[in-house]
Amino acid sequence: RKSRGSNTDSNYTDLSETETYPFPSGQVGGHGQVPVDKMGRDMDEREQYRAILEDNLEYDILLENNPYDRDTIAEIMELLLDTICSKRQYIRIAGDDKPREVVKSQFLKLNCTHIEYVLSSFKENASKVRNIKQYLLASLYACFKSVSNRETACPVGERFIEADLERIVKNDLLEKLHLLVDADDRLHKAAASTEGTEENLRFRLEQIEKRLKQISVGRISAYERYAEGRLQRDIYLIERDKMNTESDSLSAEKERLEKELLSLSQSRNRELTETCDMAHRTLTADELTNEMLLYFIDRVNVFSGMRVEIVYRFSDEIAKLIEQENTSE
């Protein structure tokens, strides 16, 4: 995922205090100047607001980070422009008529986090949506807590006390690292108890696979001889049961050896080793440093209802190990 540069701390901002850009014709834009095109001419109102929205939403990065949603994002952009540039006194949203200036003000406060929230919500409810335009309009309006409309739901942006947020992130990280270290210890113990080297395990697995194929062919052959009357029923049953017993035994051995081979392979995984080394250092440190946090955590998303989403940098394999250790406790 691409970095958003200067917006690193945007998740901790009280969005109701985000600066708005009241930009009626003839007034200045967000940067103190009326936007102009490359030829130096004043842009029309719609293009002026397009430039503001593209800046507010970090539009290019938003498209790059969501390549499969480019059409929806473009549709959202046009919907925002239609609404902001509307000449109607009221805008109908979710069955209610909202003052155009209130809606316009809120839409000019939106940032990329709001749009990604709306995209996520739309994907989850796409099959239930009948009127896409009205759904998106209502979602865009509802994703920001308006000062003039206190009853409006606010999916993102409520302020967290910094100390509380740090405590939540720290506790979750330490819990994940304890699980990772425990999983790594379990893997090393399993690897130490394996019967021989990786080469020997693979060789034995090849032998088992070959024998299981032979048994499968033998079963078919025995049944065909029995069906043709060339093999008595009691003899057929004895041969069949004997082959079934051997097959079950070999399948159980195969499953056990595959687990041993996986443990041996994982215990030698360089990425896992490096991550676990850093986990040990973090767990035994006197205090968490910024370096430690950035090593494990990609970003922290804060939603309404005091809900926090912590996005870790763990690979899929390491994340799976942590989850397995957590469910096994």
Short mmCIF file of all heavy atoms in Angstrom, two decimals, residues 183-244:
data_model
loop_
_atom_site.label_atom_id
_atom_site.label_comp_id
_atom_site.label_asym_id
_atom_site.label_seq_id
_atom_site.Cartn_x
_atom_site.Cartn_y
_atom_site.Cartn_z
N ALA A 183 4.58 -19.50 19.22
CA ALA A 183 4.46 -20.31 18.01
C ALA A 183 5.83 -20.71 17.49
O ALA A 183 6.04 -21.84 17.05
CB ALA A 183 3.70 -19.53 16.94
N ASP A 184 6.78 -19.78 17.57
CA ASP A 184 8.15 -20.07 17.12
C ASP A 184 8.80 -21.14 17.99
O ASP A 184 9.46 -22.05 17.48
CB ASP A 184 8.98 -18.78 17.15
CG ASP A 184 10.37 -18.98 16.58
OD1 ASP A 184 10.48 -19.45 15.44
OD2 ASP A 184 11.36 -18.65 17.27
N ASP A 185 8.59 -21.05 19.30
CA ASP A 185 9.12 -22.08 20.21
C ASP A 185 8.53 -23.45 19.88
O ASP A 185 9.24 -24.47 19.88
CB ASP A 185 8.80 -21.71 21.66
CG ASP A 185 9.62 -20.52 22.14
OD1 ASP A 185 10.64 -20.20 21.51
OD2 ASP A 185 9.21 -19.90 23.15
N ARG A 186 7.23 -23.46 19.59
CA ARG A 186 6.57 -24.73 19.27
C ARG A 186 7.14 -25.32 17.98
O ARG A 186 7.36 -26.54 17.89
CB ARG A 186 5.07 -24.49 19.11
CG ARG A 186 4.27 -25.71 18.69
CD ARG A 186 2.77 -25.43 18.72
NE ARG A 186 2.42 -24.23 17.97
CZ ARG A 186 2.31 -24.19 16.64
NH1 ARG A 186 2.57 -25.28 15.93
NH2 ARG A 186 1.97 -23.08 16.04
N LEU A 187 7.41 -24.47 16.99
CA LEU A 187 7.97 -24.94 15.73
C LEU A 187 9.37 -25.54 15.92
O LEU A 187 9.71 -26.57 15.33
CB LEU A 187 8.02 -23.79 14.72
CG LEU A 187 6.70 -23.33 14.11
CD1 LEU A 187 6.91 -22.11 13.23
CD2 LEU A 187 6.07 -24.46 13.30
N HIS A 188 10.18 -24.87 16.73
CA HIS A 188 11.53 -25.37 16.97
C HIS A 188 11.51 -26.71 17.71
O HIS A 188 12.32 -27.60 17.43
CB HIS A 188 12.36 -24.34 17.76
CG HIS A 188 12.94 -23.27 16.89
ND1 HIS A 188 12.25 -22.12 16.56
CD2 HIS A 188 14.13 -23.18 16.25
CE1 HIS A 188 12.99 -21.37 15.78
NE2 HIS A 188 14.15 -21.98 15.58
N LYS A 189 10.59 -26.85 18.65
CA LYS A 189 10.47 -28.13 19.36
C LYS A 189 10.03 -29.24 18.41
O LYS A 189 10.53 -30.37 18.47
CB LYS A 189 9.48 -27.99 20.52
CG LYS A 189 9.98 -27.14 21.67
CD LYS A 189 8.92 -26.99 22.75
CE LYS A 189 9.42 -26.11 23.89
NZ LYS A 189 8.37 -25.90 24.93
N ALA A 190 9.10 -28.91 17.53
CA ALA A 190 8.62 -29.89 16.57
C ALA A 190 9.73 -30.27 15.60
O ALA A 190 9.89 -31.44 15.24
CB ALA A 190 7.41 -29.35 15.81
N ALA A 191 10.51 -29.27 15.18
CA ALA A 191 11.62 -29.53 14.25
C ALA A 191 12.68 -30.40 14.91
O ALA A 191 13.28 -31.27 14.28
CB ALA A 191 12.22 -28.22 13.77
N ALA A 192 12.92 -30.15 16.20
CA ALA A 192 13.94 -30.93 16.92
C ALA A 192 13.54 -32.39 17.09
O ALA A 192 14.40 -33.27 17.21
CB ALA A 192 14.18 -30.31 18.30
N SER A 193 12.24 -32.65 17.07
CA SER A 193 11.77 -34.03 17.27
C SER A 193 11.52 -34.77 15.96
O SER A 193 11.04 -35.90 15.96
CB SER A 193 10.47 -34.03 18.09
OG SER A 193 9.44 -33.36 17.38
N THR A 194 11.83 -34.14 14.83
CA THR A 194 11.60 -34.80 13.54
C THR A 194 12.56 -35.95 13.37
O THR A 194 13.67 -35.97 13.89
CB THR A 194 11.80 -33.81 12.37
OG1 THR A 194 13.10 -33.24 12.46
CG2 THR A 194 10.76 -32.73 12.40
N GLU A 195 12.10 -36.91 12.59
CA GLU A 195 12.90 -38.13 12.38
C GLU A 195 13.84 -37.91 11.19
O GLU A 195 13.51 -38.26 10.06
CB GLU A 195 11.98 -39.32 12.14
CG GLU A 195 11.07 -39.61 13.32
CD GLU A 195 10.10 -40.74 13.02
OE1 GLU A 195 10.09 -41.20 11.86
OE2 GLU A 195 9.38 -41.15 13.92
N GLY A 196 14.98 -37.37 11.43
CA GLY A 196 15.97 -37.22 10.38
C GLY A 196 15.94 -35.87 9.70
O GLY A 196 15.27 -34.94 10.14
N THR A 197 16.64 -35.78 8.60
CA THR A 197 16.79 -34.52 7.88
C THR A 197 15.62 -34.30 6.93
O THR A 197 14.78 -35.18 6.71
CB THR A 197 18.08 -34.54 7.06
OG1 THR A 197 17.98 -35.58 6.07
CG2 THR A 197 19.29 -34.80 7.96
N GLU A 198 15.57 -33.10 6.37
CA GLU A 198 14.52 -32.78 5.40
C GLU A 198 14.60 -33.71 4.19
O GLU A 198 13.57 -34.15 3.66
CB GLU A 198 14.68 -31.32 4.95
CG GLU A 198 13.60 -30.85 3.99
CD GLU A 198 13.73 -29.38 3.66
OE1 GLU A 198 14.38 -28.65 4.43
OE2 GLU A 198 13.16 -28.97 2.63
N GLU A 199 15.81 -34.04 3.78
CA GLU A 199 15.99 -34.94 2.65
C GLU A 199 15.40 -36.32 2.94
O GLU A 199 14.73 -36.92 2.09
CB GLU A 199 17.49 -35.07 2.32
CG GLU A 199 17.77 -35.93 1.10
CD GLU A 199 19.26 -36.02 0.79
OE1 GLU A 199 20.05 -35.35 1.49
OE2 GLU A 199 19.62 -36.76 -0.14
N ASN A 200 15.65 -36.83 4.16
CA ASN A 200 15.11 -38.15 4.52
C ASN A 200 13.59 -38.13 4.58
O ASN A 200 12.92 -39.09 4.16
CB ASN A 200 15.66 -38.59 5.88
CG ASN A 200 17.14 -38.91 5.82
OD1 ASN A 200 17.67 -39.18 4.74
ND2 ASN A 200 17.81 -38.86 6.96
N LEU A 201 13.02 -37.03 5.10
CA LEU A 201 11.56 -36.92 5.18
C LEU A 201 10.94 -36.92 3.79
O LEU A 201 9.93 -37.59 3.55
CB LEU A 201 11.18 -35.64 5.92
CG LEU A 201 11.49 -35.60 7.42
CD1 LEU A 201 11.21 -34.20 7.98
CD2 LEU A 201 10.65 -36.62 8.17
N ARG A 202 11.54 -36.18 2.87
CA ARG A 202 11.01 -36.12 1.51
C ARG A 202 11.11 -37.49 0.81
O ARG A 202 10.20 -37.89 0.07
CB ARG A 202 11.74 -35.06 0.69
CG ARG A 202 11.49 -33.64 1.19
CD ARG A 202 12.03 -32.60 0.22
NE ARG A 202 11.85 -31.25 0.72
CZ ARG A 202 10.71 -30.57 0.65
NH1 ARG A 202 9.65 -31.12 0.08
NH2 ARG A 202 10.63 -29.33 1.14
N PHE A 203 12.20 -38.18 1.05
CA PHE A 203 12.39 -39.50 0.45
C PHE A 203 11.32 -40.47 0.94
O PHE A 203 10.72 -41.23 0.16
CB PHE A 203 13.78 -40.04 0.77
CG PHE A 203 14.03 -41.43 0.23
CD1 PHE A 203 14.22 -41.62 -1.13
CD2 PHE A 203 14.06 -42.53 1.08
CE1 PHE A 203 14.44 -42.91 -1.64
CE2 PHE A 203 14.28 -43.81 0.59
CZ PHE A 203 14.47 -44.00 -0.78
N ARG A 204 11.06 -40.46 2.25
CA ARG A 204 10.05 -41.35 2.81
C ARG A 204 8.64 -41.00 2.30
O ARG A 204 7.84 -41.88 2.00
CB ARG A 204 10.08 -41.28 4.35
CG ARG A 204 9.02 -42.11 5.05
CD ARG A 204 9.07 -43.57 4.61
NE ARG A 204 7.99 -44.35 5.24
CZ ARG A 204 7.54 -45.51 4.76
NH1 ARG A 204 8.06 -46.02 3.62
NH2 ARG A 204 6.58 -46.16 5.37
N LEU A 205 8.38 -39.71 2.15
CA LEU A 205 7.08 -39.29 1.61
C LEU A 205 6.89 -39.76 0.18
O LEU A 205 5.78 -40.16 -0.22
CB LEU A 205 6.96 -37.76 1.68
CG LEU A 205 6.65 -37.18 3.06
CD1 LEU A 205 6.81 -35.67 3.05
CD2 LEU A 205 5.23 -37.56 3.50
N GLU A 206 7.95 -39.75 -0.62
CA GLU A 206 7.88 -40.26 -1.99
C GLU A 206 7.58 -41.75 -2.00
O GLU A 206 6.78 -42.23 -2.83
CB GLU A 206 9.19 -39.98 -2.72
CG GLU A 206 9.43 -38.51 -3.03
CD GLU A 206 10.77 -38.26 -3.69
OE1 GLU A 206 11.50 -39.26 -3.95
OE2 GLU A 206 11.10 -37.09 -3.94
N GLN A 207 8.19 -42.48 -1.07
CA GLN A 207 7.93 -43.92 -0.98
C GLN A 207 6.47 -44.19 -0.62
O GLN A 207 5.83 -45.09 -1.18
CB GLN A 207 8.84 -44.55 0.08
CG GLN A 207 10.30 -44.66 -0.32
CD GLN A 207 11.12 -45.36 0.74
OE1 GLN A 207 10.97 -45.10 1.94
NE2 GLN A 207 12.00 -46.26 0.31
N ILE A 208 5.95 -43.40 0.31
CA ILE A 208 4.56 -43.57 0.73
C ILE A 208 3.60 -43.27 -0.42
O ILE A 208 2.64 -44.01 -0.65
CB ILE A 208 4.25 -42.67 1.94
CG1 ILE A 208 5.02 -43.14 3.18
CG2 ILE A 208 2.75 -42.63 2.23
CD1 ILE A 208 4.89 -42.22 4.38
N GLU A 209 3.87 -42.19 -1.14
CA GLU A 209 3.02 -41.82 -2.28
C GLU A 209 3.00 -42.95 -3.31
O GLU A 209 1.94 -43.31 -3.85
CB GLU A 209 3.54 -40.53 -2.93
CG GLU A 209 3.24 -39.27 -2.14
CD GLU A 209 1.78 -38.84 -2.27
OE1 GLU A 209 1.02 -39.52 -2.99
OE2 GLU A 209 1.41 -37.85 -1.63
N LYS A 210 4.17 -43.52 -3.59
CA LYS A 210 4.27 -44.61 -4.57
C LYS A 210 3.48 -45.83 -4.10
O LYS A 210 2.76 -46.45 -4.88
CB LYS A 210 5.74 -44.96 -4.78
CG LYS A 210 5.98 -46.00 -5.89
CD LYS A 210 7.45 -46.34 -6.02
CE LYS A 210 8.25 -45.12 -6.46
NZ LYS A 210 9.66 -45.47 -6.72
N ARG A 211 3.60 -46.17 -2.82
CA ARG A 211 2.90 -47.35 -2.30
C ARG A 211 1.39 -47.13 -2.28
O ARG A 211 0.62 -48.04 -2.58
CB ARG A 211 3.41 -47.67 -0.89
CG ARG A 211 2.74 -48.88 -0.26
CD ARG A 211 2.86 -50.10 -1.14
NE ARG A 211 2.09 -51.24 -0.60
CZ ARG A 211 1.62 -52.24 -1.34
NH1 ARG A 211 1.81 -52.24 -2.67
NH2 ARG A 211 0.94 -53.21 -0.79
N LEU A 212 0.95 -45.90 -1.95
CA LEU A 212 -0.49 -45.61 -1.94
C LEU A 212 -1.09 -45.76 -3.34
O LEU A 212 -2.22 -46.23 -3.50
CB LEU A 212 -0.73 -44.19 -1.42
CG LEU A 212 -0.56 -44.00 0.09
CD1 LEU A 212 -0.66 -42.52 0.46
CD2 LEU A 212 -1.61 -44.80 0.87
N LYS A 213 -0.33 -45.36 -4.37
CA LYS A 213 -0.80 -45.54 -5.74
C LYS A 213 -0.90 -47.03 -6.09
O LYS A 213 -1.85 -47.46 -6.76
CB LYS A 213 0.15 -44.83 -6.72
CG LYS A 213 0.08 -43.32 -6.64
CD LYS A 213 1.05 -42.67 -7.61
CE LYS A 213 0.99 -41.15 -7.52
NZ LYS A 213 1.96 -40.49 -8.44
N GLN A 214 0.09 -47.82 -5.64
CA GLN A 214 0.06 -49.27 -5.88
C GLN A 214 -1.16 -49.91 -5.21
O GLN A 214 -1.81 -50.79 -5.79
CB GLN A 214 1.35 -49.91 -5.37
CG GLN A 214 2.60 -49.54 -6.16
CD GLN A 214 3.87 -50.07 -5.52
OE1 GLN A 214 3.87 -50.51 -4.36
NE2 GLN A 214 4.97 -50.03 -6.26
N ILE A 215 -1.46 -49.47 -3.99
CA ILE A 215 -2.61 -50.01 -3.27
C ILE A 215 -3.91 -49.66 -4.01
O ILE A 215 -4.82 -50.49 -4.12
CB ILE A 215 -2.66 -49.47 -1.84
CG1 ILE A 215 -1.49 -50.03 -1.02
CG2 ILE A 215 -3.98 -49.81 -1.15
CD1 ILE A 215 -1.36 -49.44 0.37
N SER A 216 -4.00 -48.44 -4.52
CA SER A 216 -5.19 -48.03 -5.26
C SER A 216 -5.40 -48.90 -6.49
O SER A 216 -6.53 -49.34 -6.76
CB SER A 216 -5.04 -46.56 -5.68
OG SER A 216 -6.16 -46.14 -6.42
N VAL A 217 -4.31 -49.17 -7.21
CA VAL A 217 -4.40 -50.06 -8.38
C VAL A 217 -4.77 -51.47 -7.95
O VAL A 217 -5.59 -52.14 -8.60
CB VAL A 217 -3.05 -50.06 -9.14
CG1 VAL A 217 -3.07 -51.11 -10.25
CG2 VAL A 217 -2.75 -48.69 -9.72
N GLY A 218 -4.21 -51.93 -6.83
CA GLY A 218 -4.52 -53.27 -6.32
C GLY A 218 -5.98 -53.42 -5.95
O GLY A 218 -6.58 -54.48 -6.17
N ARG A 219 -6.57 -52.39 -5.37
CA ARG A 219 -7.99 -52.43 -4.99
C ARG A 219 -8.87 -52.62 -6.23
O ARG A 219 -9.79 -53.44 -6.24
CB ARG A 219 -8.39 -51.14 -4.29
CG ARG A 219 -7.95 -51.02 -2.85
CD ARG A 219 -8.25 -49.63 -2.37
NE ARG A 219 -8.01 -49.44 -0.96
CZ ARG A 219 -7.90 -48.26 -0.38
NH1 ARG A 219 -8.02 -47.16 -1.12
NH2 ARG A 219 -7.70 -48.15 0.91
N ILE A 220 -8.55 -51.85 -7.26
CA ILE A 220 -9.33 -51.93 -8.50
C ILE A 220 -9.20 -53.31 -9.13
O ILE A 220 -10.18 -53.92 -9.57
CB ILE A 220 -8.88 -50.83 -9.48
CG1 ILE A 220 -9.17 -49.44 -8.90
CG2 ILE A 220 -9.58 -50.99 -10.84
CD1 ILE A 220 -8.60 -48.30 -9.72
N SER A 221 -7.97 -53.80 -9.15
CA SER A 221 -7.72 -55.11 -9.74
C SER A 221 -8.45 -56.22 -8.99
O SER A 221 -9.06 -57.10 -9.60
CB SER A 221 -6.21 -55.39 -9.74
OG SER A 221 -5.95 -56.69 -10.22
N ALA A 222 -8.42 -56.17 -7.66
CA ALA A 222 -9.09 -57.19 -6.86
C ALA A 222 -10.60 -57.17 -7.09
O ALA A 222 -11.24 -58.22 -7.21
CB ALA A 222 -8.77 -56.98 -5.38
N TYR A 223 -11.16 -55.96 -7.17
CA TYR A 223 -12.61 -55.87 -7.37
C TYR A 223 -12.98 -56.39 -8.76
O TYR A 223 -14.00 -57.08 -8.92
CB TYR A 223 -13.06 -54.42 -7.23
CG TYR A 223 -14.54 -54.26 -7.47
CD1 TYR A 223 -15.46 -54.63 -6.49
CD2 TYR A 223 -15.02 -53.79 -8.69
CE1 TYR A 223 -16.83 -54.51 -6.71
CE2 TYR A 223 -16.38 -53.66 -8.92
CZ TYR A 223 -17.28 -54.03 -7.93
OH TYR A 223 -18.62 -53.93 -8.16
N GLU A 224 -12.17 -56.06 -9.78
CA GLU A 224 -12.47 -56.53 -11.13
C GLU A 224 -12.42 -58.06 -11.20
O GLU A 224 -13.28 -58.70 -11.83
CB GLU A 224 -11.48 -55.93 -12.13
CG GLU A 224 -11.70 -54.44 -12.37
CD GLU A 224 -10.66 -53.84 -13.29
OE1 GLU A 224 -9.62 -54.51 -13.51
OE2 GLU A 224 -10.88 -52.71 -13.77
N ARG A 225 -11.43 -58.68 -10.56
CA ARG A 225 -11.34 -60.16 -10.55
C ARG A 225 -12.52 -60.78 -9.82
O ARG A 225 -13.07 -61.79 -10.22
CB ARG A 225 -10.03 -60.58 -9.89
CG ARG A 225 -8.81 -60.40 -10.80
CD ARG A 225 -7.52 -60.90 -10.17
NE ARG A 225 -7.12 -60.03 -9.06
CZ ARG A 225 -6.65 -60.48 -7.91
NH1 ARG A 225 -6.56 -61.79 -7.69
NH2 ARG A 225 -6.28 -59.64 -6.97
N TYR A 226 -12.94 -60.10 -8.71
CA TYR A 226 -14.10 -60.59 -7.97
C TYR A 226 -15.38 -60.46 -8.80
O TYR A 226 -16.22 -61.37 -8.86
CB TYR A 226 -14.24 -59.83 -6.66
CG TYR A 226 -15.56 -60.00 -5.96
CD1 TYR A 226 -15.94 -61.24 -5.43
CD2 TYR A 226 -16.45 -58.93 -5.85
CE1 TYR A 226 -17.17 -61.40 -4.80
CE2 TYR A 226 -17.67 -59.08 -5.22
CZ TYR A 226 -18.03 -60.31 -4.69
OH TYR A 226 -19.25 -60.47 -4.07
N ALA A 227 -15.54 -59.32 -9.50
CA ALA A 227 -16.73 -59.08 -10.31
C ALA A 227 -16.82 -60.04 -11.48
O ALA A 227 -17.92 -60.41 -11.91
CB ALA A 227 -16.73 -57.63 -10.82
N GLU A 228 -15.66 -60.47 -12.00
CA GLU A 228 -15.63 -61.40 -13.13
C GLU A 228 -15.71 -62.86 -12.68
O GLU A 228 -15.70 -63.77 -13.52
CB GLU A 228 -14.36 -61.18 -13.95
CG GLU A 228 -14.31 -59.81 -14.64
CD GLU A 228 -12.94 -59.52 -15.22
OE1 GLU A 228 -12.03 -60.37 -15.04
OE2 GLU A 228 -12.77 -58.44 -15.84
N GLY A 229 -15.75 -63.07 -11.38
CA GLY A 229 -15.86 -64.44 -10.87
C GLY A 229 -14.55 -65.17 -10.77
O GLY A 229 -14.52 -66.39 -10.52
N ARG A 230 -13.44 -64.48 -10.95
CA ARG A 230 -12.12 -65.12 -10.87
C ARG A 230 -11.53 -65.08 -9.47
O ARG A 230 -10.44 -65.57 -9.24
CB ARG A 230 -11.15 -64.44 -11.85
CG ARG A 230 -11.56 -64.63 -13.30
CD ARG A 230 -10.53 -64.08 -14.29
NE ARG A 230 -10.47 -62.62 -14.29
CZ ARG A 230 -9.41 -61.95 -13.93
NH1 ARG A 230 -8.34 -62.58 -13.50
NH2 ARG A 230 -9.42 -60.62 -13.97
N LEU A 231 -12.26 -64.46 -8.52
CA LEU A 231 -11.79 -64.37 -7.14
C LEU A 231 -12.97 -64.59 -6.21
O LEU A 231 -14.00 -63.94 -6.35
CB LEU A 231 -11.17 -62.99 -6.89
CG LEU A 231 -10.46 -62.78 -5.55
CD1 LEU A 231 -9.22 -63.66 -5.46
CD2 LEU A 231 -10.05 -61.31 -5.37
N GLN A 232 -12.80 -65.55 -5.28
CA GLN A 232 -13.89 -65.85 -4.35
C GLN A 232 -14.13 -64.65 -3.43
O GLN A 232 -13.23 -63.88 -3.11
CB GLN A 232 -13.54 -67.08 -3.51
CG GLN A 232 -13.45 -68.37 -4.31
CD GLN A 232 -13.11 -69.57 -3.45
OE1 GLN A 232 -13.01 -69.45 -2.23
NE2 GLN A 232 -12.94 -70.73 -4.09
N ARG A 233 -15.40 -64.54 -2.96
CA ARG A 233 -15.80 -63.40 -2.17
C ARG A 233 -15.01 -63.28 -0.88
O ARG A 233 -14.57 -62.17 -0.52
CB ARG A 233 -17.31 -63.48 -1.87
CG ARG A 233 -17.83 -62.23 -1.13
CD ARG A 233 -19.34 -62.30 -0.97
NE ARG A 233 -19.86 -61.06 -0.38
CZ ARG A 233 -19.87 -60.80 0.92
NH1 ARG A 233 -19.39 -61.69 1.78
NH2 ARG A 233 -20.35 -59.64 1.36
N ASP A 234 -14.83 -64.38 -0.16
CA ASP A 234 -14.12 -64.31 1.12
C ASP A 234 -12.66 -63.93 0.93
O ASP A 234 -12.10 -63.17 1.73
CB ASP A 234 -14.24 -65.63 1.88
CG ASP A 234 -13.73 -66.82 1.06
OD1 ASP A 234 -13.60 -66.67 -0.18
OD2 ASP A 234 -13.47 -67.88 1.66
N ILE A 235 -12.04 -64.40 -0.15
CA ILE A 235 -10.65 -64.03 -0.42
C ILE A 235 -10.57 -62.56 -0.81
O ILE A 235 -9.66 -61.84 -0.39
CB ILE A 235 -10.06 -64.92 -1.54
CG1 ILE A 235 -10.03 -66.39 -1.08
CG2 ILE A 235 -8.66 -64.44 -1.93
CD1 ILE A 235 -9.53 -67.34 -2.14
N TYR A 236 -11.55 -62.09 -1.61
CA TYR A 236 -11.59 -60.68 -2.00
C TYR A 236 -11.70 -59.78 -0.78
O TYR A 236 -10.99 -58.78 -0.67
CB TYR A 236 -12.77 -60.43 -2.95
CG TYR A 236 -13.11 -58.95 -3.07
CD1 TYR A 236 -12.26 -58.05 -3.73
CD2 TYR A 236 -14.30 -58.46 -2.51
CE1 TYR A 236 -12.58 -56.71 -3.82
CE2 TYR A 236 -14.62 -57.11 -2.60
CZ TYR A 236 -13.76 -56.25 -3.24
OH TYR A 236 -14.06 -54.92 -3.33
N LEU A 237 -12.58 -60.13 0.15
CA LEU A 237 -12.77 -59.32 1.35
C LEU A 237 -11.51 -59.27 2.20
O LEU A 237 -11.17 -58.23 2.78
CB LEU A 237 -13.94 -59.86 2.17
CG LEU A 237 -15.33 -59.71 1.51
CD1 LEU A 237 -16.40 -60.37 2.38
CD2 LEU A 237 -15.65 -58.24 1.27
N ILE A 238 -10.80 -60.39 2.29
CA ILE A 238 -9.55 -60.42 3.06
C ILE A 238 -8.52 -59.50 2.43
O ILE A 238 -7.85 -58.70 3.12
CB ILE A 238 -9.02 -61.87 3.14
CG1 ILE A 238 -9.94 -62.74 4.01
CG2 ILE A 238 -7.59 -61.87 3.71
CD1 ILE A 238 -9.57 -64.21 4.01
N GLU A 239 -8.37 -59.59 1.08
CA GLU A 239 -7.40 -58.74 0.39
C GLU A 239 -7.77 -57.25 0.50
O GLU A 239 -6.92 -56.39 0.73
CB GLU A 239 -7.32 -59.14 -1.09
CG GLU A 239 -6.64 -60.47 -1.34
CD GLU A 239 -6.39 -60.70 -2.81
OE1 GLU A 239 -6.57 -59.75 -3.61
OE2 GLU A 239 -6.00 -61.82 -3.18
N ARG A 240 -9.08 -56.99 0.36
CA ARG A 240 -9.53 -55.59 0.44
C ARG A 240 -9.26 -55.00 1.82
O ARG A 240 -8.74 -53.89 1.94
CB ARG A 240 -11.03 -55.53 0.14
CG ARG A 240 -11.60 -54.12 0.08
CD ARG A 240 -13.10 -54.12 0.23
NE ARG A 240 -13.51 -54.59 1.57
CZ ARG A 240 -14.77 -54.72 1.95
NH1 ARG A 240 -15.75 -54.45 1.10
NH2 ARG A 240 -15.05 -55.16 3.16
N ASP A 241 -9.61 -55.75 2.88
CA ASP A 241 -9.39 -55.24 4.23
C ASP A 241 -7.90 -55.04 4.52
O ASP A 241 -7.51 -54.08 5.21
CB ASP A 241 -10.01 -56.21 5.26
CG ASP A 241 -11.52 -56.22 5.18
OD1 ASP A 241 -12.09 -55.31 4.56
OD2 ASP A 241 -12.14 -57.17 5.72
N LYS A 242 -7.08 -55.95 4.01
CA LYS A 242 -5.64 -55.85 4.22
C LYS A 242 -5.10 -54.57 3.56
O LYS A 242 -4.29 -53.84 4.16
CB LYS A 242 -4.95 -57.08 3.65
CG LYS A 242 -3.43 -57.10 3.85
CD LYS A 242 -2.82 -58.36 3.26
CE LYS A 242 -1.31 -58.35 3.44
NZ LYS A 242 -0.70 -59.58 2.84
N MET A 243 -5.55 -54.31 2.32
CA MET A 243 -5.09 -53.11 1.61
C MET A 243 -5.61 -51.84 2.28
O MET A 243 -4.91 -50.84 2.36
CB MET A 243 -5.52 -53.18 0.15
CG MET A 243 -4.70 -54.16 -0.69
SD MET A 243 -5.09 -54.13 -2.46
CE MET A 243 -6.69 -54.94 -2.47
N ASN A 244 -6.85 -51.87 2.78
CA ASN A 244 -7.41 -50.71 3.48
C ASN A 244 -6.64 -50.38 4.74
O ASN A 244 -6.38 -49.22 5.05
CB ASN A 244 -8.88 -50.95 3.82
CG ASN A 244 -9.79 -50.85 2.60
OD1 ASN A 244 -9.38 -50.33 1.57
ND2 ASN A 244 -11.00 -51.38 2.72
#
